[in-house]
Amino acid sequence: MMKKSKSKTVLVLNGPNLNLLGTREPHLYGKETLSVIERRLVAAGTAAGVRVECFQTNHEGVIVDRVQQAKREGVGFILLNPAAFTYSSIALRDALTAVQIPFIEVHLSNIHAREPWRAHSHFTAVAVGSILGLGSRGYDLALDYAIARLKSRS
Ligand code: DQA
């Protein structure tokens, strides 16, 4: 029963230091806070009849646990900004491939236009797709896709 309703849930996951959005290098990541972005996503989901849950952590094991929990809950789609875990966390990538919940990788900045070591993501090859460099708008666009996909499968 729980599973049925949760399959219409999009989980928005944000990794380390994204709790600092708004004050963290605004020339790269914008001036909006994470809570402003999250509230907008939740509202867009509500308008479309899709539940949006948001979660941010600075801790690798905690985000792995949240992905595993999402599987138990029957979450239908994930939007993920892995932040610095993009380059380091095989554990998070393995969690996503283990649970087989489709996800979009979102980055506020264009990681290909920055330091060369930011260009390789452990997640791109296993994501449905990636949105880079569009600032917080990237989350909105990813959510549009997730909503359409969940609706088309109901
Ligand atoms: C980021 C890009 C990463 O390189 C960086 O480590 C972040 C944020 C982005 O959203 O642009 O923390 O994921």
Side-chain angles (χ1 to χ4, degrees), residues 13-19 55-67 82 85 89 91-92:
L13 285 180
N14 279 289
N17 300 305
L18 292 170
N19 56 313
F55 184 80
Q56 186 278 332
T57 179
N58 295 325
H59 304 280
E60 186 177 21
V62 174
I63 202 164
V64 168
D65 285 346
R66 189 65 191 85
V67 168
F85 292 151
S89 186
L92 179 55

Side-chain angles (χ1 to χ4, degrees), residues 21-42:
L21 285 183
T23 55
R24 176 190 180 198
E25 299 174 276
H27 60 290
L28 288 173
Y29 302 122
K31 290 187 183 147
E32 275 170 315
T33 62
L34 185 58
S35 62
V36 164
I37 296 167
E38 288 177 343
R39 266 184 267 136
R40 191 168 72 231
L41 296 172
V42 170

